[in-house]
Amino acid sequence: MKRILVLMAGVVLSSAVAANEIESLDSIRDAARMFLELQTADLRRQPEVVIGHLDSRLRLPACAEPLEAFFPTSGTQNLVGSTLLGVRCSTPKPWSIYVQATLTVTEEVVIATRPLARNAVIGPGDVQLADRDISRLNGGYLTDIAQVIGQTTSRPVSAGTALTTNLVEASRVVRRGDRVAIVAGGGGVNVRMEGEALADGARGDSIPVKNLSSGRRVEAEVVGPGEVRVRF
């Protein structure tokens, strides 16, 4: 019996030693998570970091120094959404492994409070701020309601949809075929003529306009509803 107990104790001891010689998966996950949290420390809101699955059969030699995490490639890294990073050990037996991670950042963004048709002019009651995962927003998200008031939807928008730069555009205050006042100015002299807009335009846009007096076509800046300006 004593011999059996000694043998069992030897098996347990050797198993414990073997376990101590293997780097734990938790330490690999922790190194990856801490690295990503440091990389995103400057973001206005700290992201939620989820480290991807590691194979439970993985057996890497225990590292004699703190694990080092790194990005596999140089240059700008994707710090929102899915990203890939490496974790490595340099001593006593060098190894490296690549880990998939997901970073979720929640921001207050502008959303539609009701369905909006295409070319709808957005008013204060049409939008509000709400939390959204910005990694899922393509086309640039908007965080200031004042950015979209008076803008026009470029396509139909469902209630609850986050408004992006792809979904809104400056409202056209001049339409093709509209009669417009052409204001030509320079050197303290302003001249007004009647013209016809040959394209749609929002404030600040440059559009072609036909001078109805001379028949000439000129490029003019849209300054407001029914008015364009030519500088000379």
Side-chain angles (χ1 to χ4, degrees):
M1 176 66 74
K2 183 179 293 186
R3 179 178 175 80
I4 294 173
L5 290 175
V6 169
L7 287 173
M8 291 178 63
V11 170
V12 171
L13 182 59
S14 63
S15 298
V17 170
N20 288 337
E21 292 175 350
I22 300 299
E23 191 68 46
S24 74
L25 299 185
D26 283 343
S27 65
I28 296 173
R29 292 189 192 95
D30 289 344
R33 181 178 292 104
M34 290 176 62
F35 174 76
L36 289 174
E37 288 175 350
L38 284 173
Q39 295 296 314
T40 56
D42 292 339
L43 295 179
R44 195 165 66 89
R45 290 196 181 184
Q46 190 69 16
E48 176 188 353
V49 178
V50 177
I51 304 301
H53 172 74
L54 294 176
D55 193 333
S56 59
R57 297 169 296 181
L58 194 63
R59 295 290 184 271
L60 294 171
C63 200
E65 297 179 351
L67 296 177
E68 178 189 2
F70 61 95
F71 285 123
T73 58
S74 59
T76 303
Q77 303 295 329
N78 181 20
L79 295 180
V80 177
S82 182
T83 192
L84 183 71
L85 69 156
V87 177
R88 62 190 168 203
C89 171
S90 57
T91 184
K93 296 180 179 180
W95 53 261
S96 64
I97 184 174
Y98 292 101
V99 180
Q100 196 75 32
T102 303
L103 294 87
T104 302
V105 180
T106 301
E107 281 274 10
E108 267 197 339
V109 301
V110 180
I111 68 164
T113 58
R114 64 182 185 86
L116 299 172
R118 183 175 181 271
N119 292 329
V121 178
I122 301 170
D126 297 327
V127 289
Q128 66 182 30
L129 293 175
D131 285 338
R132 290 289 187 274
D133 176 6
I134 62 173
S135 66
R136 299 177 179 274
L137 301 180
N138 298 320
Y141 57 93
L142 303 169
T143 59
D144 185 358
I145 288 178
Q147 288 178 280
V148 300
I149 300 301
Q151 300 266 15
T152 301
T153 53
S154 58
R155 56 178 179 266
V157 176
S158 311
T161 298
L163 298 183
T164 67
T165 52
N166 289 337
L167 291 177
V168 298
E169 58 189 11
S171 295
R172 297 181 179 92
V173 295
V174 170
R175 297 285 179 177
R176 181 177 180 177
D178 284 355
R179 291 296 177 93
V180 295
I182 303 172
V183 180
V189 178
N190 286 319
V191 178
R192 296 177 69 90
M193 298 160 283
E194 188 176 15
E196 178 185 342
L198 301 179
D200 296 349
R203 281 185 174 86
D205 287 349
S206 179
I207 65 169
V209 177
K210 180 180 180 181
N211 184 328
L212 295 181
S213 298
S214 65
R216 291 180 56 196
R217 171 179 166 142
V218 296
E219 289 293 319
E221 178 188 351
V222 178
V223 295
E227 185 171 328
V228 298
R229 177 177 292 277
V230 177
R231 299 189 183 279
F232 61 82

